[in-house]
Amino acid sequence: MDKEFFTPRTLGDAIGVSQSSLKRWADKGLLNVEKTAGGHRRIGMEEALRFIRESGVTVVKPDLLGLGSEDLEVQEDELSSADRLYYALHSGDETRVRSLVLNQYLDGRPLYEIFDEDIQPAMARIGLLWHDEVSGITIEHRAHDICLQVLADLRFRLPRVFTKGTAIGAAVPGDPYTLPTAMVSTALRGEGFSAVNLGPNLPIEALLDEAKKIKPVIAWLSVSHLRKAHILRTEIKELARELREQNTFLVMGGSQIHKLRLDRDPYVLIGKNIHELVSISRGLVANIPQSSESKGEFS
Ligand code: B12
């Protein structure tokens, strides 16, 4: 995919500063500016977003950066960000959901907070609607699709610098839920893992096969729907044993994980939410000596 670039003028206008300020920041090494073959300055999209997020500058014209142009503060400042998201999802307003999530991200909010405190509660609320009326089903399906699109968009905008090694994962066999495992992979990417999401309903043997090939630091499994718990428990035990031999940690979570009743195993770590996933991943990396191989950048 072609990289998206902004001119210094576009970025300057978007954040309400002059081109000379941008140039000064670039000279100080705060903003990484590239040059085209013709010698023109350009700022890559990821770099622009990183700079906005880390420097705390305010985006005054988000539309120039393709982020939607709504002034959210003025419109609904009494609502929590989770409520705003809920209403935007309920009305099927994809542009607004996208802009809400990306603005939270640019404001420096950790991804795990956006996921656990906004998207998860908003979807849980949406999930209650189908009990009352048939349109609730439509709203739920539409909201789910919007979340997936926005998550993909967000993931695309994360810095592609993977210094922590690889991670792969999926939802367990029989589990059709796509959002939780997509969230895990996005969060791990945000943490600097080259994370590959293998999607819903993955046979355990397929995860093991891939893990043997790429020897990830982390293999994750999400459990939102449980079928044949006794068979799955045996398969996961065997998976954990094989992963342990190659020093891959199995990290598990999901709304139905407690029903699996897994045995205690130091190589199987269970997280309640994305915040715990992130804490687990940070703990693992801190305890693993980084070889030059696993430190490399992946794309
Ligand atoms: C979207 C959705 C669907 C979609 C799924 C589309 C898809 N392809 O994914 C569709 C429409 C297909 C669907 C179908 C059904 N659904 Co549904 N669905 C939902 C809904 C609204 C959102 C699920 C979601 O994606 N949430 C967002 C994720 C990110 O949140 P989460 O799963 O809680 O994950 C968090 C943690 O668990 C954790 N986590 C998750 N994975 C991992 C992994 C790791 C490693 C770690 C550390 C942490 C972690 O972090 C996440 C963020 O905080 C929920 C409502 C709800 N309360 O969740 C109902 C819900 C789960 N569905 C429900 C039901 C009843 C059904 C159906 C039976 C409805 C029907 N009559 O047909 C079917 C059954 C499908 C099946 N075979 O299982 C019920 C389940 C009740 C129960 N537990 O028994 C719920 C709770 C709705 C409700 N309140 O009634 N559903």
Side-chain angles (χ1 to χ4, degrees), residues 8-208:
R9 184 178 186 161
T10 307
L11 180 60
D13 288 349
I15 60 178
V17 301
S18 65
Q19 284 191 61
S20 54
S21 299
L22 281 188
K23 190 170 172 302
R24 256 198 320 278
W25 292 336
D27 291 344
K28 285 185 182 169
L30 299 173
L31 176 69
N32 190 12
V33 177
E34 299 174 35
K35 283 207 174 155
T36 63
H40 299 291
R41 290 190 172 85
R42 293 288 182 267
I43 301 116
M45 178 195 65
E46 288 170 22
E47 172 60 8
L49 298 188
R50 179 204 63 77
F51 175 73
I52 293 168
R53 183 170 152 83
E54 290 176 12
S55 65
V57 295
T58 307
V59 182
V60 290
K61 291 187 181 163
D63 48 322
L64 291 181
L65 304 177
L67 300 174
S69 58
E70 290 155 279
D71 188 341
L72 308 167
E73 304 300 320
V74 178
Q75 281 179 6
E76 295 175 6
D77 47 3
E78 273 112 76
L79 291 178
S80 69
S81 52
D83 283 345
R84 287 182 215 176
L85 194 67
Y86 168 75
Y87 290 119
L89 283 170
H90 191 288
S91 60
D93 188 343
E94 181 169 349
T95 310
R96 177 139 174 74
V97 173
R98 185 166 167 267
S99 143
L100 281 168
V101 171
L102 291 180
N103 278 297
Q104 290 285 324
Y105 173 67
L106 290 179
D107 276 352
R109 206 158 164 228
L111 286 180
Y112 59 78
E113 251 184 54
I114 303 173
F115 293 168
D116 290 336
E117 295 176 21
D118 289 2
I119 300 181
Q120 198 284 336
M123 283 308 289
R125 229 171 126 186
I126 294 272
L128 296 170
L129 300 172
W130 70 275
H131 293 282
D132 301 330
E133 47 184 348
V134 71
S135 64
I137 300 174
T138 317
I139 294 170
E140 178 182 312
H141 280 233
R142 191 175 60 193
H144 172 263
D145 184 60
I146 292 176
C147 285
L148 270 188
Q149 305 299 334
V150 169
L151 217 56
D153 189 355
L154 181 60
R155 195 164 66 175
F156 173 64
R157 289 166 195 273
L158 296 176
R160 250 155 282 183
V161 180
F162 304 126
T163 53
K164 307 268 178 71
T166 40
I168 57 167
V172 293
D175 178 353
Y177 286 89
T178 49
L179 211 45
T181 183
M183 237 178 220
V184 170
S185 80
T186 308
L188 289 177
R189 281 210 185 182
E191 288 296 302
F193 286 90
S194 171
V196 179
N197 176 21
L198 302 175
N201 190 17
L202 187 79
I204 298 295
E205 60 176 343
L207 181 67
L208 180 59

